[in-house]
């Protein structure tokens, strides 16, 4: 356990989008995250189960990369996701996000780190084949700051949902969180996605087709 006295709790006001701005607008959590990304100097590591980017969010990451910040994002693969609508939004702009210089990792449904959590002294192996998905919403910056909350990197969290998070300025705690991040970035836990390769083809045709037809859903509501 790590005790820290440098913790800030941030929450959107209820009804941050009163309907007068349509599918735009933002809240306190959005503004805080933008400020944190803009202030990063060396590294930004992110876990987000749903990753639906916009022109604005990609520019935010591109600007960070341009000033020398190493940005890595771990999100669900098609094989591990529980939300085909959100994945279809991510899939549409995956190559555009990669062009910003961000490194993208997609969580494996058979992640070794999750299997280790399910086994131990009392259970050598599961009696079924589990499918693991990522649901953490976390970020670390410069090895100094950790953010944990409810915010997904998608338009719904940015503009519509009432979100909350804690911002912890503590090097000791952030180092511990980064150790977990590094483990989940490993090949046995996630696939490194490139402009030329992604793991979508490892999923059966039914799920791929389901994702394709959901591309009719506007990204602004994902």
């Amino acid at each position: 356990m790590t005790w820290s006295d440098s913790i800030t709790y941030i929450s959107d006001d209820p009804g941050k989008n009163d309907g007068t701005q349509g599918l735009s607008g933002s809240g306190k959590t959005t503004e805080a995250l933008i400020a944190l990304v803009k202030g990063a100097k060396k590294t930004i590591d992110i876990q987000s189960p749903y990753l639906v980017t916009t022109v604005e969010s990609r520019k935010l990451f591109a600007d960070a990369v341009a000033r020398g910040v190493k940005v890595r994002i771990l999100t669900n693969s098609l094989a591990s996701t529980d939300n085909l609508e959100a994945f279809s939004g991510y899939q549409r702009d995956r190559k555009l996000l990669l062009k910003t210089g961000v490194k993208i990792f997609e969580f494996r449904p058979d992640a070794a780190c999750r299997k280790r959590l399910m086994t131990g002294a009392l259970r050598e192996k599961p009696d079924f084949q589990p499918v693991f998905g990522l649901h953490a919403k976390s970020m670390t910056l410069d090895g100094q700051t950790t953010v944990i909350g409810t915010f997904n990197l998608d338009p719904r969290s940015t503009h519509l949902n009432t979100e909350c998070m804690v911002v912890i300025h503590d090097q000791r705690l952030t180092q511990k969180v980064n150790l977990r991040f590094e483990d989940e970035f490993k090949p046995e836990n996630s696939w490194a996605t490139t402009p030329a390769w992604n793991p979508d083809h490892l999923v059966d045709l039914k799920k791929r087709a389901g994702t394709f037809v959901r591309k009719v859903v506007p990204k602004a509501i994902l």
Side-chain angles (χ1 to χ4, degrees), residues 180-220:
R180 296 299 183 98
F181 275 25
E182 290 298 335
D183 187 32
E184 295 189 345
F185 284 133
K186 291 178 180 177
E188 62 266 30
N189 297 317
S190 62
W191 289 296
T193 302
T194 71
W197 186 89
N198 65 68
D200 293 359
H201 66 283
L202 301 176
V203 177
D204 63 63
L205 182 59
K206 181 180 178 181
K207 196 170 187 180
R208 280 183 281 158
T211 305
F212 179 79
V213 299
R214 284 167 170 80
K215 289 184 179 180
V216 300
V217 180
K219 286 201 311 172

mmCIF file of all heavy atoms in Angstrom, residues 180-220:
data_model
loop_
_atom_site.group_PDB
_atom_site.id
_atom_site.type_symbol
_atom_site.label_atom_id
_atom_site.label_comp_id
_atom_site.label_asym_id
_atom_site.label_seq_id
_atom_site.Cartn_x
_atom_site.Cartn_y
_atom_site.Cartn_z
ATOM 1 N N ARG A 180 2.984 -2.347 -13.847
ATOM 2 C CA ARG A 180 1.836 -3.093 -14.364
ATOM 3 C C ARG A 180 1.620 -2.778 -15.844
ATOM 4 O O ARG A 180 1.302 -3.662 -16.639
ATOM 5 C CB ARG A 180 0.584 -2.752 -13.554
ATOM 6 C CG ARG A 180 0.650 -3.169 -12.097
ATOM 7 C CD ARG A 180 0.805 -4.678 -11.953
ATOM 8 N NE ARG A 180 0.810 -5.115 -10.570
ATOM 9 C CZ ARG A 180 -0.242 -5.606 -9.932
ATOM 10 N NH1 ARG A 180 -1.387 -5.734 -10.575
ATOM 11 N NH2 ARG A 180 -0.146 -5.986 -8.672
ATOM 12 N N PHE A 181 1.771 -1.501 -16.195
ATOM 13 C CA PHE A 181 1.626 -1.109 -17.602
ATOM 14 C C PHE A 181 2.631 -1.866 -18.471
ATOM 15 O O PHE A 181 2.275 -2.411 -19.517
ATOM 16 C CB PHE A 181 1.860 0.398 -17.760
ATOM 17 C CG PHE A 181 0.650 1.249 -17.498
ATOM 18 C CD1 PHE A 181 -0.376 0.820 -16.689
ATOM 19 C CD2 PHE A 181 0.541 2.511 -18.065
ATOM 20 C CE1 PHE A 181 -1.483 1.607 -16.440
ATOM 21 C CE2 PHE A 181 -0.566 3.304 -17.846
ATOM 22 C CZ PHE A 181 -1.584 2.865 -17.022
ATOM 23 N N GLU A 182 3.886 -1.871 -18.034
ATOM 24 C CA GLU A 182 4.933 -2.518 -18.825
ATOM 25 C C GLU A 182 4.630 -4.001 -19.016
ATOM 26 O O GLU A 182 4.882 -4.560 -20.081
ATOM 27 C CB GLU A 182 6.295 -2.336 -18.145
ATOM 28 C CG GLU A 182 6.836 -0.916 -18.161
ATOM 29 C CD GLU A 182 7.074 -0.380 -19.564
ATOM 30 O OE1 GLU A 182 7.277 -1.188 -20.497
ATOM 31 O OE2 GLU A 182 7.042 0.847 -19.735
ATOM 32 N N ASP A 183 4.094 -4.627 -17.991
ATOM 33 C CA ASP A 183 3.725 -6.032 -18.103
ATOM 34 C C ASP A 183 2.649 -6.212 -19.163
ATOM 35 O O ASP A 183 2.717 -7.131 -19.996
ATOM 36 C CB ASP A 183 3.239 -6.544 -16.742
ATOM 37 C CG ASP A 183 2.998 -8.051 -16.752
ATOM 38 O OD1 ASP A 183 3.713 -8.766 -17.492
ATOM 39 O OD2 ASP A 183 2.111 -8.508 -16.017
ATOM 40 N N GLU A 184 1.647 -5.348 -19.178
ATOM 41 C CA GLU A 184 0.539 -5.500 -20.109
ATOM 42 C C GLU A 184 0.914 -5.115 -21.540
ATOM 43 O O GLU A 184 0.225 -5.493 -22.484
ATOM 44 C CB GLU A 184 -0.666 -4.719 -19.613
ATOM 45 C CG GLU A 184 -1.190 -5.297 -18.303
ATOM 46 C CD GLU A 184 -2.513 -4.720 -17.852
ATOM 47 O OE1 GLU A 184 -2.922 -3.670 -18.384
ATOM 48 O OE2 GLU A 184 -3.134 -5.320 -16.957
ATOM 49 N N PHE A 185 1.999 -4.379 -21.716
ATOM 50 C CA PHE A 185 2.488 -4.067 -23.063
ATOM 51 C C PHE A 185 3.260 -5.241 -23.685
ATOM 52 O O PHE A 185 3.536 -5.235 -24.882
ATOM 53 C CB PHE A 185 3.410 -2.845 -23.040
ATOM 54 C CG PHE A 185 2.686 -1.521 -22.908
ATOM 55 C CD1 PHE A 185 3.115 -0.567 -21.989
ATOM 56 C CD2 PHE A 185 1.595 -1.230 -23.699
ATOM 57 C CE1 PHE A 185 2.473 0.653 -21.864
ATOM 58 C CE2 PHE A 185 0.933 -0.007 -23.589
ATOM 59 C CZ PHE A 185 1.370 0.935 -22.664
ATOM 60 N N LYS A 186 3.615 -6.242 -22.882
ATOM 61 C CA LYS A 186 4.424 -7.355 -23.379
ATOM 62 C C LYS A 186 3.647 -8.175 -24.412
ATOM 63 O O LYS A 186 2.414 -8.240 -24.362
ATOM 64 C CB LYS A 186 4.865 -8.248 -22.223
ATOM 65 C CG LYS A 186 5.874 -7.598 -21.289
ATOM 66 C CD LYS A 186 6.224 -8.525 -20.138
ATOM 67 C CE LYS A 186 7.242 -7.890 -19.190
ATOM 68 N NZ LYS A 186 7.531 -8.765 -18.043
ATOM 69 N N PRO A 187 4.361 -8.846 -25.342
ATOM 70 C CA PRO A 187 3.696 -9.609 -26.420
ATOM 71 C C PRO A 187 2.740 -10.693 -25.927
ATOM 72 O O PRO A 187 1.764 -10.997 -26.612
ATOM 73 C CB PRO A 187 4.877 -10.221 -27.183
ATOM 74 C CG PRO A 187 6.025 -9.320 -26.914
ATOM 75 C CD PRO A 187 5.826 -8.818 -25.518
ATOM 76 N N GLU A 188 2.998 -11.270 -24.752
ATOM 77 C CA GLU A 188 2.102 -12.308 -24.269
ATOM 78 C C GLU A 188 0.787 -11.742 -23.717
ATOM 79 O O GLU A 188 -0.158 -12.493 -23.427
ATOM 80 C CB GLU A 188 2.773 -13.155 -23.181
ATOM 81 C CG GLU A 188 3.163 -12.399 -21.928
ATOM 82 C CD GLU A 188 4.606 -11.911 -21.937
ATOM 83 O OE1 GLU A 188 5.126 -11.631 -23.032
ATOM 84 O OE2 GLU A 188 5.197 -11.837 -20.852
ATOM 85 N N ASN A 189 0.732 -10.403 -23.606
ATOM 86 C CA ASN A 189 -0.473 -9.766 -23.079
ATOM 87 C C ASN A 189 -1.175 -8.843 -24.061
ATOM 88 O O ASN A 189 -2.382 -8.588 -23.926
ATOM 89 C CB ASN A 189 -0.115 -8.972 -21.816
ATOM 90 C CG ASN A 189 0.398 -9.871 -20.708
ATOM 91 O OD1 ASN A 189 -0.149 -10.942 -20.470
ATOM 92 N ND2 ASN A 189 1.475 -9.450 -20.055
ATOM 93 N N SER A 190 -0.441 -8.329 -25.037
ATOM 94 C CA SER A 190 -1.065 -7.435 -26.018
ATOM 95 C C SER A 190 -0.307 -7.492 -27.340
ATOM 96 O O SER A 190 0.871 -7.837 -27.392
ATOM 97 C CB SER A 190 -1.103 -5.997 -25.500
ATOM 98 O OG SER A 190 0.214 -5.489 -25.291
ATOM 99 N N TRP A 191 -1.019 -7.166 -28.406
ATOM 100 C CA TRP A 191 -0.422 -7.113 -29.737
ATOM 101 C C TRP A 191 -0.019 -5.677 -30.070
ATOM 102 O O TRP A 191 -0.808 -4.736 -29.868
ATOM 103 C CB TRP A 191 -1.431 -7.587 -30.787
ATOM 104 C CG TRP A 191 -1.721 -9.054 -30.766
ATOM 105 C CD1 TRP A 191 -0.854 -10.077 -31.016
ATOM 106 C CD2 TRP A 191 -2.992 -9.680 -30.510
ATOM 107 N NE1 TRP A 191 -1.491 -11.292 -30.939
ATOM 108 C CE2 TRP A 191 -2.809 -11.081 -30.633
ATOM 109 C CE3 TRP A 191 -4.268 -9.195 -30.210
ATOM 110 C CZ2 TRP A 191 -3.848 -11.992 -30.454
ATOM 111 C CZ3 TRP A 191 -5.305 -10.092 -30.019
ATOM 112 C CH2 TRP A 191 -5.092 -11.472 -30.142
ATOM 113 N N ALA A 192 1.183 -5.504 -30.584
ATOM 114 C CA ALA A 192 1.617 -4.190 -31.057
ATOM 115 C C ALA A 192 1.060 -3.976 -32.459
ATOM 116 O O ALA A 192 1.323 -4.755 -33.371
ATOM 117 C CB ALA A 192 3.144 -4.110 -31.070
ATOM 118 N N THR A 193 0.249 -2.936 -32.607
ATOM 119 C CA THR A 193 -0.419 -2.659 -33.875
ATOM 120 C C THR A 193 0.389 -1.660 -34.687
ATOM 121 O O THR A 193 0.927 -0.696 -34.144
ATOM 122 C CB THR A 193 -1.828 -2.105 -33.599
ATOM 123 O OG1 THR A 193 -2.557 -3.050 -32.820
ATOM 124 C CG2 THR A 193 -2.577 -1.846 -34.887
ATOM 125 N N THR A 194 0.482 -1.874 -35.982
ATOM 126 C CA THR A 194 1.208 -0.987 -36.882
ATOM 127 C C THR A 194 0.313 -0.612 -38.053
ATOM 128 O O THR A 194 -0.745 -1.224 -38.248
ATOM 129 C CB THR A 194 2.483 -1.662 -37.418
ATOM 130 O OG1 THR A 194 2.102 -2.690 -38.347
ATOM 131 C CG2 THR A 194 3.314 -2.263 -36.292
ATOM 132 N N PRO A 195 0.716 0.365 -38.871
ATOM 133 C CA PRO A 195 -0.091 0.683 -40.055
ATOM 134 C C PRO A 195 -0.244 -0.499 -41.006
ATOM 135 O O PRO A 195 -1.225 -0.581 -41.754
ATOM 136 C CB PRO A 195 0.694 1.830 -40.710
ATOM 137 C CG PRO A 195 1.425 2.475 -39.584
ATOM 138 C CD PRO A 195 1.809 1.347 -38.670
ATOM 139 N N ALA A 196 0.714 -1.429 -40.970
ATOM 140 C CA ALA A 196 0.680 -2.561 -41.898
ATOM 141 C C ALA A 196 0.081 -3.826 -41.290
ATOM 142 O O ALA A 196 -0.222 -4.780 -42.017
ATOM 143 C CB ALA A 196 2.093 -2.866 -42.394
ATOM 144 N N TRP A 197 -0.108 -3.843 -39.956
ATOM 145 C CA TRP A 197 -0.596 -5.073 -39.328
ATOM 146 C C TRP A 197 -1.461 -4.764 -38.120
ATOM 147 O O TRP A 197 -1.153 -3.873 -37.305
ATOM 148 C CB TRP A 197 0.566 -5.952 -38.880
ATOM 149 C CG TRP A 197 0.103 -7.295 -38.371
ATOM 150 C CD1 TRP A 197 -0.080 -8.433 -39.099
ATOM 151 C CD2 TRP A 197 -0.255 -7.623 -37.013
ATOM 152 N NE1 TRP A 197 -0.529 -9.447 -38.286
ATOM 153 C CE2 TRP A 197 -0.656 -8.987 -37.007
ATOM 154 C CE3 TRP A 197 -0.299 -6.905 -35.820
ATOM 155 C CZ2 TRP A 197 -1.071 -9.642 -35.850
ATOM 156 C CZ3 TRP A 197 -0.722 -7.557 -34.664
ATOM 157 C CH2 TRP A 197 -1.089 -8.899 -34.683
ATOM 158 N N ASN A 198 -2.555 -5.510 -38.003
ATOM 159 C CA ASN A 198 -3.382 -5.494 -36.806
ATOM 160 C C ASN A 198 -3.966 -6.895 -36.620
ATOM 161 O O ASN A 198 -3.972 -7.703 -37.561
ATOM 162 C CB ASN A 198 -4.477 -4.429 -36.905
ATOM 163 C CG ASN A 198 -5.462 -4.722 -38.012
ATOM 164 O OD1 ASN A 198 -6.230 -5.676 -37.946
ATOM 165 N ND2 ASN A 198 -5.440 -3.890 -39.070
ATOM 166 N N PRO A 199 -4.464 -7.212 -35.427
ATOM 167 C CA PRO A 199 -4.928 -8.579 -35.153
ATOM 168 C C PRO A 199 -6.393 -8.847 -35.496
ATOM 169 O O PRO A 199 -6.935 -9.887 -35.097
ATOM 170 C CB PRO A 199 -4.688 -8.710 -33.648
ATOM 171 C CG PRO A 199 -4.890 -7.325 -33.130
ATOM 172 C CD PRO A 199 -4.376 -6.409 -34.198
ATOM 173 N N ASP A 200 -7.038 -7.965 -36.251
ATOM 174 C CA ASP A 200 -8.465 -8.161 -36.549
ATOM 175 C C ASP A 200 -8.734 -9.504 -37.232
ATOM 176 O O ASP A 200 -9.757 -10.138 -36.990
ATOM 177 C CB ASP A 200 -8.988 -7.042 -37.455
ATOM 178 C CG ASP A 200 -9.012 -5.685 -36.763
ATOM 179 O OD1 ASP A 200 -8.642 -5.607 -35.574
ATOM 180 O OD2 ASP A 200 -9.401 -4.702 -37.422
ATOM 181 N N HIS A 201 -7.799 -9.927 -38.092
ATOM 182 C CA HIS A 201 -8.011 -11.152 -38.859
ATOM 183 C C HIS A 201 -8.002 -12.410 -37.994
ATOM 184 O O HIS A 201 -8.394 -13.488 -38.463
ATOM 185 C CB HIS A 201 -6.923 -11.277 -39.938
ATOM 186 C CG HIS A 201 -5.545 -11.473 -39.385
ATOM 187 N ND1 HIS A 201 -4.805 -10.433 -38.849
ATOM 188 C CD2 HIS A 201 -4.778 -12.582 -39.272
ATOM 189 C CE1 HIS A 201 -3.644 -10.897 -38.430
ATOM 190 N NE2 HIS A 201 -3.602 -12.191 -38.673
ATOM 191 N N LEU A 202 -7.590 -12.291 -36.737
ATOM 192 C CA LEU A 202 -7.548 -13.444 -35.849
ATOM 193 C C LEU A 202 -8.925 -13.765 -35.257
ATOM 194 O O LEU A 202 -9.076 -14.753 -34.543
ATOM 195 C CB LEU A 202 -6.557 -13.191 -34.714
ATOM 196 C CG LEU A 202 -5.097 -12.920 -35.154
ATOM 197 C CD1 LEU A 202 -4.231 -12.585 -33.954
ATOM 198 C CD2 LEU A 202 -4.535 -14.112 -35.912
ATOM 199 N N VAL A 203 -9.900 -12.922 -35.575
ATOM 200 C CA VAL A 203 -11.256 -13.089 -35.054
ATOM 201 C C VAL A 203 -12.141 -13.718 -36.123
ATOM 202 O O VAL A 203 -11.925 -13.516 -37.325
ATOM 203 C CB VAL A 203 -11.818 -11.717 -34.621
ATOM 204 C CG1 VAL A 203 -13.249 -11.825 -34.148
ATOM 205 C CG2 VAL A 203 -10.931 -11.123 -33.533
ATOM 206 N N ASP A 204 -13.156 -14.464 -35.701
ATOM 207 C CA ASP A 204 -14.016 -15.140 -36.676
ATOM 208 C C ASP A 204 -14.799 -14.141 -37.527
ATOM 209 O O ASP A 204 -14.964 -12.968 -37.158
ATOM 210 C CB ASP A 204 -14.982 -16.100 -35.969
ATOM 211 C CG ASP A 204 -15.937 -15.388 -35.023
ATOM 212 O OD1 ASP A 204 -16.741 -14.566 -35.478
ATOM 213 O OD2 ASP A 204 -15.876 -15.662 -33.810
ATOM 214 N N LEU A 205 -15.271 -14.614 -38.660
ATOM 215 C CA LEU A 205 -15.936 -13.767 -39.653
ATOM 216 C C LEU A 205 -17.182 -13.095 -39.084
ATOM 217 O O LEU A 205 -17.473 -11.946 -39.421
ATOM 218 C CB LEU A 205 -16.300 -14.603 -40.876
ATOM 219 C CG LEU A 205 -16.976 -13.860 -42.039
ATOM 220 C CD1 LEU A 205 -16.089 -12.742 -42.550
ATOM 221 C CD2 LEU A 205 -17.317 -14.830 -43.162
ATOM 222 N N LYS A 206 -17.912 -13.780 -38.227
ATOM 223 C CA LYS A 206 -19.142 -13.215 -37.672
ATOM 224 C C LYS A 206 -18.865 -11.928 -36.900
ATOM 225 O O LYS A 206 -19.576 -10.928 -37.070
ATOM 226 C CB LYS A 206 -19.827 -14.238 -36.765
ATOM 227 C CG LYS A 206 -21.131 -13.743 -36.163
ATOM 228 C CD LYS A 206 -21.761 -14.814 -35.283
ATOM 229 C CE LYS A 206 -23.050 -14.300 -34.637
ATOM 230 N NZ LYS A 206 -23.665 -15.336 -33.759
ATOM 231 N N LYS A 207 -17.841 -11.936 -36.060
ATOM 232 C CA LYS A 207 -17.533 -10.743 -35.268
ATOM 233 C C LYS A 207 -16.967 -9.638 -36.149
ATOM 234 O O LYS A 207 -17.250 -8.461 -35.941
ATOM 235 C CB LYS A 207 -16.556 -11.089 -34.138
ATOM 236 C CG LYS A 207 -16.491 -10.025 -33.050
ATOM 237 C CD LYS A 207 -15.711 -10.508 -31.832
ATOM 238 C CE LYS A 207 -15.812 -9.499 -30.696
ATOM 239 N NZ LYS A 207 -15.057 -9.925 -29.490
ATOM 240 N N ARG A 208 -16.174 -9.999 -37.138
ATOM 241 C CA ARG A 208 -15.651 -8.992 -38.066
ATOM 242 C C ARG A 208 -16.781 -8.342 -38.858
ATOM 243 O O ARG A 208 -16.803 -7.119 -39.066
ATOM 244 C CB ARG A 208 -14.638 -9.619 -39.016
ATOM 245 C CG ARG A 208 -13.247 -9.805 -38.402
ATOM 246 C CD ARG A 208 -12.264 -10.361 -39.400
ATOM 247 N NE ARG A 208 -12.423 -11.802 -39.565
ATOM 248 C CZ ARG A 208 -12.022 -12.490 -40.618
ATOM 249 N NH1 ARG A 208 -11.477 -11.867 -41.641
ATOM 250 N NH2 ARG A 208 -12.176 -13.803 -40.659
ATOM 251 N N ALA A 209 -17.741 -9.158 -39.298
ATOM 252 C CA ALA A 209 -18.877 -8.622 -40.051
ATOM 253 C C ALA A 209 -19.737 -7.731 -39.162
ATOM 254 O O ALA A 209 -20.220 -6.673 -39.601
ATOM 255 C CB ALA A 209 -19.709 -9.766 -40.619
ATOM 256 N N GLY A 210 -19.910 -8.135 -37.910
ATOM 257 C CA GLY A 210 -20.684 -7.332 -36.975
ATOM 258 C C GLY A 210 -20.068 -5.967 -36.741
ATOM 259 O O GLY A 210 -20.778 -4.961 -36.612
ATOM 260 N N THR A 211 -18.743 -5.925 -36.701
ATOM 261 C CA THR A 211 -18.044 -4.645 -36.542
ATOM 262 C C THR A 211 -18.199 -3.788 -37.788
ATOM 263 O O THR A 211 -18.413 -2.570 -37.703
ATOM 264 C CB THR A 211 -16.552 -4.898 -36.268
ATOM 265 O OG1 THR A 211 -16.421 -5.751 -35.136
ATOM 266 C CG2 THR A 211 -15.825 -3.588 -36.003
ATOM 267 N N PHE A 212 -18.120 -4.414 -38.960
ATOM 268 C CA PHE A 212 -18.220 -3.681 -40.223
ATOM 269 C C PHE A 212 -19.578 -2.992 -40.358
ATOM 270 O O PHE A 212 -19.645 -1.814 -40.711
ATOM 271 C CB PHE A 212 -17.991 -4.623 -41.401
ATOM 272 C CG PHE A 212 -18.097 -3.950 -42.745
ATOM 273 C CD1 PHE A 212 -17.046 -3.198 -43.231
ATOM 274 C CD2 PHE A 212 -19.258 -4.055 -43.494
ATOM 275 C CE1 PHE A 212 -17.137 -2.560 -44.467
ATOM 276 C CE2 PHE A 212 -19.364 -3.421 -44.726
ATOM 277 C CZ PHE A 212 -18.297 -2.675 -45.212
ATOM 278 N N VAL A 213 -20.660 -3.698 -40.080
ATOM 279 C CA VAL A 213 -21.990 -3.102 -40.262
ATOM 280 C C VAL A 213 -22.243 -1.986 -39.259
ATOM 281 O O VAL A 213 -23.043 -1.090 -39.525
ATOM 282 C CB VAL A 213 -23.103 -4.160 -40.168
ATOM 283 C CG1 VAL A 213 -22.932 -5.209 -41.264
ATOM 284 C CG2 VAL A 213 -23.142 -4.826 -38.794
ATOM 285 N N ARG A 214 -21.555 -2.013 -38.128
ATOM 286 C CA ARG A 214 -21.732 -0.966 -37.119
ATOM 287 C C ARG A 214 -21.025 0.322 -37.481
ATOM 288 O O ARG A 214 -21.146 1.321 -36.763
ATOM 289 C CB ARG A 214 -21.269 -1.480 -35.751
ATOM 290 C CG ARG A 214 -22.264 -2.444 -35.106
ATOM 291 C CD ARG A 214 -21.673 -3.170 -33.923
ATOM 292 N NE ARG A 214 -22.662 -3.914 -33.155
ATOM 293 C CZ ARG A 214 -23.132 -5.108 -33.492
ATOM 294 N NH1 ARG A 214 -22.691 -5.699 -34.621
ATOM 295 N NH2 ARG A 214 -24.025 -5.726 -32.748
ATOM 296 N N LYS A 215 -20.323 0.351 -38.586
ATOM 297 C CA LYS A 215 -19.677 1.588 -39.027
ATOM 298 C C LYS A 215 -20.689 2.614 -39.516
ATOM 299 O O LYS A 215 -20.327 3.767 -39.770
ATOM 300 C CB LYS A 215 -18.649 1.286 -40.125
ATOM 301 C CG LYS A 215 -17.424 0.554 -39.581
ATOM 302 C CD LYS A 215 -16.370 0.335 -40.639
ATOM 303 C CE LYS A 215 -15.167 -0.368 -40.042
ATOM 304 N NZ LYS A 215 -14.076 -0.613 -41.028
ATOM 305 N N VAL A 216 -21.957 2.231 -39.611
ATOM 306 C CA VAL A 216 -22.997 3.201 -39.957
ATOM 307 C C VAL A 216 -23.332 4.079 -38.762
ATOM 308 O O VAL A 216 -23.937 5.139 -38.906
ATOM 309 C CB VAL A 216 -24.286 2.501 -40.449
ATOM 310 C CG1 VAL A 216 -23.983 1.662 -41.683
ATOM 311 C CG2 VAL A 216 -24.913 1.635 -39.366
ATOM 312 N N VAL A 217 -22.925 3.648 -37.561
ATOM 313 C CA VAL A 217 -23.196 4.441 -36.348
ATOM 314 C C VAL A 217 -22.267 5.647 -36.318
ATOM 315 O O VAL A 217 -21.051 5.510 -36.421
ATOM 316 C CB VAL A 217 -22.981 3.587 -35.079
ATOM 317 C CG1 VAL A 217 -23.266 4.412 -33.827
ATOM 318 C CG2 VAL A 217 -23.865 2.343 -35.126
ATOM 319 N N PRO A 218 -22.803 6.867 -36.179
ATOM 320 C CA PRO A 218 -21.946 8.066 -36.149
ATOM 321 C C PRO A 218 -20.952 8.014 -34.991
ATOM 322 O O PRO A 218 -21.310 7.649 -33.873
ATOM 323 C CB PRO A 218 -22.946 9.205 -35.953
ATOM 324 C CG PRO A 218 -24.246 8.668 -36.425
ATOM 325 C CD PRO A 218 -24.236 7.197 -36.095
ATOM 326 N N LYS A 219 -19.715 8.375 -35.250
ATOM 327 C CA LYS A 219 -18.695 8.316 -34.211
ATOM 328 C C LYS A 219 -18.988 9.270 -33.057
ATOM 329 O O LYS A 219 -18.578 9.039 -31.930
ATOM 330 C CB LYS A 219 -17.322 8.653 -34.795
ATOM 331 C CG LYS A 219 -16.727 7.558 -35.649
ATOM 332 C CD LYS A 219 -15.232 7.713 -35.770
ATOM 333 C CE LYS A 219 -14.837 9.132 -36.144
ATOM 334 N NZ LYS A 219 -13.396 9.340 -36.080
ATOM 335 N N ALA A 220 -19.716 10.328 -33.336
ATOM 336 C CA ALA A 220 -19.978 11.347 -32.306
ATOM 337 C C ALA A 220 -20.776 10.820 -31.124
ATOM 338 O O ALA A 220 -20.757 11.416 -30.049
ATOM 339 C CB ALA A 220 -20.729 12.527 -32.927
#
